[in-house]
Amino acid sequence: MKKILLITACAILALVEGCAKDLVTGKTTLNYYDIKNEPQLGAQVLAVQEKEIKAKGKRMDADADPVEYERIKRIVARLAAVSHYPNFPYEVHLAEVDVVNAWCAPGGKVMVYTGLWDPKKGLVEKGNDDQIAAVLAHEIAHATARHVTESISKTMTIAMAGAAVQGAIAAGGSSQGADLFGEIFANGLDLYIPSYSRKNELEADRIGLFYMAKAGYDPRAAVALWKKAATMKKDRTSIYASHPASGVRARELEKYLPEAMAMYEKAKASGAGAEPSAPETKKGKKAAKNPVRTR
Ligand SMILES: [Zn+2]
């Protein structure tokens, strides 16, 4: 029944919008949004968030921590270059917020909260590129796999989606979609905290593992991090909330580790692991090698 509905929905909307392809399975997934509009949706989300952070008097970007801001910019550039969408208009932000989390909005707008490397409750060690890359690769994978618009599409009926599609065409991102965005990014503290489905988390883990390895970061760091995450206190705003205590996510990642290690060794051999990296010079080539696959 679900499948029939999906096919019908795709057939109806195919003229105005496409169905997307899953980056992992290659299967058709339901997504009413045009990927061209995703950066605009992400930009709206980021603008709201920046305003709220600044209104609280919190510092951002280089003012929050110049060294770590440069670090996350460099890491995102390397990850973006090997991602499925190197040409997304990636943007990187750091906010002085005591929450152990980070996110990447549709179209590649990355936000990191300084709580991520809090010495007591944080997930990563401050200044550890491999660990930070593991988190950022996972978050970027949510954006390249288009999990936000996929989730929004699932909560809509065909009629709603039709209206949203018209809105998206008119405005470059529907207000209905922006409202529904709050369902995926719970906004309890006036902060966006990602909350994806279990299936999407596993998918982002796997895609992210390969991104970090291809960018020359040690993928073993991801397995160790998600093992640690499973043992941490699951407060609602932290990245730990999506990591079941069973450690199932770390075990799933272990399955893909040999494949990721091969990518990592190859990246290191070609100099991708060495600093300074040169993602800019690769961009054009990668863009050609990785055509947009979801249309
Ligand atoms: Zn996630």
Side-chain angles (χ1 to χ4, degrees):
M1 183 62 188
K2 230 175 167 181
K3 201 172 176 187
I4 294 168
L5 265 180
L6 180 68
I7 291 164
T8 313
C10 293
I12 288 170
L13 290 163
L15 290 175
V16 276
E17 284 299 298
C19 285
K21 271 212 178 78
D22 190 295
L23 291 181
V24 172
T25 62
K27 283 183 185 163
T28 300
T29 58
L30 181 64
N31 196 322
Y32 298 130
Y33 283 78
D34 190 324
I35 191 160
K36 291 200 298 289
N37 295 331
E38 298 222 355
Q40 212 162 337
L41 178 61
Q44 286 171 14
V45 169
L46 182 68
V48 170
Q49 190 70 139
E50 272 186 304
K51 207 173 142 195
E52 286 181 3
I53 290 168
K54 284 181 178 162
K56 285 183 203 304
K58 305 286 187 191
R59 288 177 289 192
M60 279 192 70
D61 301 341
D63 291 339
D65 189 326
V67 174
E68 294 312 303
Y69 181 52
E70 286 307 314
R71 184 187 313 282
I72 57 174
K73 278 203 295 190
R74 189 178 71 232
I75 293 173
V76 168
R78 277 170 58 172
L79 295 170
V82 299
S83 78
H84 290 86
Y85 296 105
N87 294 327
F88 268 171
Y90 289 91
E91 231 180 271
V92 185
H93 296 282
L94 176 64
E96 188 187 32
V97 170
D98 185 29
V99 166
V100 190
N101 226 322
W103 48 263
C104 182
K109 312 288 183 200
V110 176
M111 174 68 78
V112 177
Y113 301 138
T114 50
L116 189 66
W117 45 74
D118 180 274
K120 280 193 189 128
K121 62 176 182 181
L123 176 62
V124 307
E125 287 161 39
K126 190 175 183 181
N128 186 315
D129 282 22
D130 290 330
Q131 293 183 0
I132 294 167
V135 174
L136 296 179
H138 170 94
E139 298 305 331
I140 288 171
H142 278 306
T144 59
R146 306 178 63 205
H147 287 158
V148 168
T149 50
E150 187 184 282
S151 302
I152 293 171
S153 298
K154 269 189 199 147
T155 66
M156 288 179 169
T157 63
I158 292 170
M160 275 169 80
V165 165
Q166 294 307 326
I169 288 168
S174 76
S175 58
Q176 200 172 17
D179 289 346
L180 283 162
F181 191 85
E183 287 183 19
I184 291 96
F185 276 48
N187 196 3
L189 296 172
D190 299 331
L191 285 175
Y192 287 121
I193 307 294
S195 155
Y196 298 99
S197 71
R198 183 105 173 237
K199 179 177 167 280
N200 285 353
E201 288 299 351
L202 291 172
E203 193 171 82
D205 282 347
R206 182 175 167 188
I207 298 171
L209 186 75
F210 295 153
Y211 285 173
M212 74 180 292
K214 282 184 189 169
Y217 296 106
D218 190 339
R220 287 169 294 197
V223 178
L225 267 198
W226 304 133
K227 263 185 191 157
K228 177 185 170 184
T231 67
M232 302 296 277
K233 196 170 150 255
K234 314 266 179 269
D235 69 276
R236 201 177 65 81
T237 62
S238 76
I239 201 164
Y240 309 125
S242 61
H243 288 79
S246 63
V248 62
R249 288 180 58 182
R251 281 202 301 280
E252 276 292 308
L253 270 180
E254 264 169 349
K255 281 195 226 164
Y256 301 109
L257 194 55
E259 204 180 331
M261 283 305 288
M263 291 174 184
Y264 171 55
E265 296 300 339
K266 205 174 146 193
K268 270 202 309 186
S270 69
E275 296 292 354
S277 68
E280 300 309 322
T281 59
K282 282 185 188 164
K283 251 183 180 169
K285 208 169 96 194
K286 280 287 170 191
K289 261 173 80 181
N290 292 319
V292 176
R293 288 166 60 192
T294 58
R295 301 290 299 161

